């Protein structure tokens, strides 16, 4: 068996972490075909298969899983040791990759990130906007931003931004053609603009009043998968829309949208920045968390 070195192990770890040649290739800055060839060379040197791959999937063999479980912690220790050197630079530096839903990125994350970058010019931030619930670690991100109930229990969560609540709105023209609903149950008789998640399911509108909690599965001729498009559709009179209050408040103030069922829309804790627990955080990540605690 010929020896393999740290560079070879880094290739294997990237493939194992992403379960994808394409994603690992993006991280390493090479082509997927070059990465596949490199792994094949590593396996030939070790004289053992580490990864089972088909046209649709990439999965570790038992030997590959054992190698990953032994080597990955050691590489994390090396990353931590290198990260410790940043303490001697005087200012945090490095790159942060944060995954966030589109609404979270627009309403709370981007304004905070913009201020953070002004305070820490040595840090770079990449925002990956994706409304689907993705494995943040598998995507190579340092952190994610979602509503609290969507954060896995094994993650550390930090509040980001203010509390939020939703607003049920429609255009004045819409209410010239339809009655104003007095309770959430009356939504079933009116055309609503539905929101479909990236995974395929419809969002059920949530309400609460006097200790009574409701989830209403609305119906309507228009379904969208983008909050900004829903704002535009509501302005056009296409139906009732369930939006973040911040998205609708300017239009409400200008009289372009009318709000209903406001007493059924309580405040929620809002968004959270979440990240996996590790002994040491990169200095850029630690600086961002500390910044959030002051500017959230």
């Amino acid at each position: 068996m010929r020896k393999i070195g740290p560079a070879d192990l880094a290739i294997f770890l990237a493939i194992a972490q992403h379960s994808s040649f394409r994603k690992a290739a993006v991280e390493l800055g090479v082509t997927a075909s070059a990465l596949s060839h490199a792994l094949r060379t590593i396996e030939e040197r070790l004289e053992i298969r580490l990864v089972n791959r088909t046209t649709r999937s990439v999965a570790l063999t038992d030997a590959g899983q054992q190698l990953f479980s032994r080597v990955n912690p050691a590489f994390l220790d090396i990353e931590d040791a290198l990260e410790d050197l940043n303490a001697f630079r005087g200012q945090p530096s490095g790159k942060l990759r944060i995954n966030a839903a589109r609404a979270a990125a627009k309403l709370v994350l981007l304004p905070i990130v913009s201020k953070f970058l002004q305070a820490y010019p040595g840090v770079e931030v990449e925002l990956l906007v994706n409304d689907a619930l993705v494995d943040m670690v598998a995507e190579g991100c340092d952190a994610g931003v979602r509503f609290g109930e969507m954060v896995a229990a094994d993650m550390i969560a930090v509040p980001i931004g203010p509390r939020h609540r939703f607003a049920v709105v429609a255009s004045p023209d819409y209410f010239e053609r339809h009655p104003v609903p007095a309770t959430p149950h009356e939504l079933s008789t009116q055309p609503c603009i539905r929101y479909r998640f990236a995974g395929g399911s419809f969002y059920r509108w949530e309400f609460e009043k006097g200790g009574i909690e409701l989830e209403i599965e609305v119906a309507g001729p228009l379904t969208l998968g983008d909050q900004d498009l829903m704002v535009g559709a509501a302005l056009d009179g296409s139906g009732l829309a369930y939006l973040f209050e911040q998205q609708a408040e300017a239009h409400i103030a200008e009289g372009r949208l009318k709000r209903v069922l406001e007493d059924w829309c309580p405040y929620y804790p809002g968004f959270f920045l979440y990240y996996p627990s590790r002994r040491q955080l990169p200095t850029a990540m630690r600086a961002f968390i500390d910044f959030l605690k002051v500017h959230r």
Side-chain angles (χ1 to χ4, degrees):
M1 181 183 73
R2 288 178 289 172
K3 288 185 178 181
I4 64 171
D8 299 312
L9 290 174
I11 290 172
F12 165 71
L13 288 175
I15 296 169
Q17 288 167 347
H18 290 287
S19 296
S20 165
F21 283 99
R22 181 182 60 80
K23 293 179 180 178
V26 171
E27 177 185 324
L28 298 176
V30 298
T31 64
S33 60
L35 205 59
S36 178
H37 177 74
L39 178 65
R40 189 175 300 109
T41 300
I42 293 169
E43 290 176 326
E44 290 173 354
R45 290 179 180 176
L46 292 174
E47 298 177 358
I48 192 168
R49 180 177 287 275
L50 300 174
V51 175
N52 287 322
R53 48 234 195 244
T54 68
T55 56
R56 294 187 177 182
S57 65
V58 174
L60 296 179
T61 64
D62 289 342
Q65 185 60 56
Q66 178 174 305
L67 180 62
F68 177 78
S69 63
R70 292 289 301 275
V71 172
N72 192 52
F75 266 68
L76 290 177
D77 283 340
I78 293 172
E79 289 179 5
D80 287 341
L82 294 173
E83 187 62 37
D84 286 344
L85 296 178
N86 283 329
F88 295 94
R89 301 182 193 275
Q91 283 286 333
S93 62
K95 185 174 184 177
L96 289 178
R97 301 180 82 237
I98 304 175
N99 179 279
R102 187 174 302 278
K106 182 176 182 179
L107 296 178
V108 300
L109 185 56
L110 187 57
I112 291 176
V113 166
S114 297
K115 295 178 182 177
F116 174 74
L117 292 176
Q118 293 176 28
Y120 296 98
V123 178
E124 296 180 26
V125 177
E126 180 180 359
L127 301 185
L128 289 84
V129 178
N130 191 333
D131 285 329
L133 283 175
V134 301
D135 185 332
M136 177 264 293
V137 176
E139 292 294 319
C141 295
D142 298 288
V145 176
R146 289 293 188 277
F147 269 124
E149 66 266 22
M150 297 181 179
V151 177
D154 60 344
M155 293 285 177
I156 298 174
V158 179
I160 176 172
R163 296 187 305 162
H164 286 277
R165 67 172 175 166
F166 290 95
V168 180
V169 297
S171 68
D173 172 69
Y174 172 88
F175 287 115
E176 291 178 4
R177 295 177 280 114
H178 299 87
V180 175
T183 69
H185 295 290
E186 295 177 23
L187 295 173
S188 61
T189 63
Q190 298 202 25
C192 297
I193 302 168
R194 297 194 293 176
Y195 179 83
R196 188 193 291 274
F197 289 109
S201 61
F202 287 104
Y203 179 70
R204 296 166 64 91
W205 294 12
E206 300 174 86
F207 300 96
E208 181 182 342
K209 181 180 179 181
I212 300 174
E213 297 182 3
L214 299 175
E215 287 190 3
I216 306 296
E217 187 169 351
V218 298
L222 180 61
T223 298
L224 299 170
D226 182 275
Q227 289 275 332
D228 290 334
L229 291 179
M230 293 178 70
V231 174
L235 290 169
D236 290 339
S238 298
L240 288 158
Y242 189 80
L243 307 170
F244 284 102
E245 187 178 57
Q246 287 174 267
Q247 294 175 301
E249 57 188 3
H251 299 299
I252 295 172
E254 294 169 0
R256 301 178 65 198
L257 289 177
K258 180 178 178 180
R259 184 172 190 173
V260 297
L261 302 175
E262 184 172 356
D263 56 337
W264 279 94
C265 297
Y267 282 97
Y268 294 93
F271 296 104
F272 286 79
L273 178 89
Y274 65 95
Y275 56 94
S277 175
R278 285 183 55 184
R279 292 190 303 277
Q280 292 177 300
L281 287 173
T283 55
M285 183 66 181
R286 171 53 60 194
F288 187 60
I289 293 170
D290 292 341
F291 189 85
L292 281 182
K293 293 178 179 178
V294 177
H295 297 85
R296 68 188 181 197

